[in-house]
Amino acid sequence: KMSAVFLLLLVSTINVGAMLEKGLPRREPRRLSCVRCCGPSEQPVSIISSRYARMSSDPAYSVPKVQPTIDITILKGEKGEMGEKGYPGAIGKEGERGLRGFNGRKGQKGQPGPQGHSCKQLYAAFSVGRRKPLHSSDYFQHVTFDMEFVNLYKHFNMFSGKFFCYVAGIYYFSLNVHTWNFKETYLHLMKNEKEVAILYAQPSDRSIMQSQSLMLDLQEGEEVWVRMFKRERENAIYSEESDVYIIFNGHLIKPAVE
């Protein structure tokens, strides 16, 4: 049965195709005639490019140039209020040290400044005395003092009996002593380890006051002091507990740097 049905369908399909071919009229193929579009030396132009050239040259087919304009005043809003100050940001890393720049021009001389620091004083003065008499017991004997009248900034050392120069400059010194009856008085005024002046009095039946003074140019660190010098005769200076007969003074006249 299935084979018979298939044969019937095949026969009907062939008959329908034959009927369609007989009923529909046939169209002859259209022959296109050649048209000369360019010269022998010219290159053929495509239909699309030639059409675009005709349309662009013709004012009716020209494409208008569109230049849009935007009104900024419409888009821009009003200025707002200033906001609150924000928190400071984190501190950045310290950069590398740059190269040293060129020296600038020398400026004009400025006005005198205020007085310097108290640690660097431009003054020095002392006045010390001795209330005890002194007899020479050695070839050289250091004279010390036991009474302090003036000792500005403690430049005079009462323990060693020496004035220590902290401020370089010109100094004035004076030494006053009382001689002893029938005894020689022989003293050296010393600068460091060298004698610079002598106070001398010959033996006499009466005692007198003797003095010596001088100026010295001192550098910082130098010392000034008094020593007794013994020769063949007995050497002594007189004083007593109730009165002061031996006095050593010194003060700065002009500092080296002002």
Side-chain angles (χ1 to χ4, degrees), residues 192-208:
N192 299 323
E193 298 300 320
K194 183 180 180 181
E195 62 269 21
V196 290
I198 296 174
L199 188 152
Y200 178 74
Q202 291 182 342
S204 174
D205 57 351
R206 59 190 183 93
S207 60
I208 57 174

Side-chain angles (χ1 to χ4, degrees), residues 2-72:
M2 290 296 292
S3 60
V5 174
F6 179 74
L7 291 173
L8 288 173
L9 290 174
L10 181 60
V11 171
S12 61
T13 303
I14 294 172
N15 293 332
V16 172
M19 290 174 66
L20 290 173
E21 290 180 359
K22 292 179 180 180
L24 294 175
R26 295 183 179 179
R27 293 184 179 180
E28 295 293 335
R30 186 178 179 183
R31 297 179 179 178
L32 298 175
S33 60
C34 294
V35 180
R36 182 176 179 277
C37 61
C38 57
S41 62
E42 297 177 353
Q43 296 292 332
V45 181
S46 64
I47 299 172
I48 297 173
S49 61
S50 62
R51 182 181 177 186
Y52 177 77
R54 291 196 304 269
M55 292 178 67
S56 60
S57 61
D58 191 351
Y61 296 100
S62 61
V63 180
K65 294 181 180 180
V66 180
Q67 295 180 352
T69 58
I70 300 174
D71 191 356
I72 300 177

Side-chain angles (χ1 to χ4, degrees), residues 49-194:
S49 61
S50 62
R51 182 181 177 186
Y52 177 77
R54 291 196 304 269
M55 292 178 67
S56 60
S57 61
D58 191 351
Y61 296 100
S62 61
V63 180
K65 294 181 180 180
V66 180
Q67 295 180 352
T69 58
I70 300 174
D71 191 356
I72 300 177
T73 59
I74 299 174
L75 302 177
K76 185 178 180 182
E78 296 181 357
K79 184 178 180 180
E81 297 180 356
M82 182 180 291
E84 297 181 358
K85 187 177 181 180
Y87 295 101
I91 300 175
K93 295 182 179 179
E94 185 177 357
E96 297 180 359
R97 185 175 181 179
L99 299 176
R100 184 176 181 179
F102 297 101
N103 294 331
R105 295 181 180 179
K106 186 178 180 180
Q108 296 180 354
K109 186 177 180 180
Q111 299 295 328
Q115 186 176 358
H117 195 270
S118 58
C119 293
K120 185 65 177 178
Q121 297 291 343
L122 298 180
Y123 304 96
F126 73 91
S127 180
V128 293
R130 181 182 175 92
R131 290 176 295 184
K132 296 180 180 180
L134 182 64
H135 289 78
S136 60
S137 58
D138 202 351
Y139 190 71
F140 292 119
Q141 187 173 350
H142 194 154
V143 179
T144 58
F145 301 87
D146 53 14
M147 190 172 184
E148 186 180 82
F149 297 105
V150 174
N151 192 2
L152 191 62
Y153 310 122
K154 303 298 180 181
H155 290 181
F156 189 91
N157 190 329
M158 295 296 293
F159 181 77
S160 64
K162 293 182 179 182
F163 169 76
F164 186 89
C165 178
Y166 287 94
V167 183
I170 306 299
Y171 285 80
Y172 175 83
F173 296 95
S174 65
L175 176 63
N176 300 277
V177 299
H178 193 284
T179 63
W180 205 306
N181 295 352
F182 308 107
K183 294 181 181 181
E184 189 178 48
T185 302
Y186 204 127
L187 300 172
H188 286 156
L189 194 60
M190 305 291 295
K191 177 183 177 182
N192 299 323
E193 298 300 320
K194 183 180 180 181

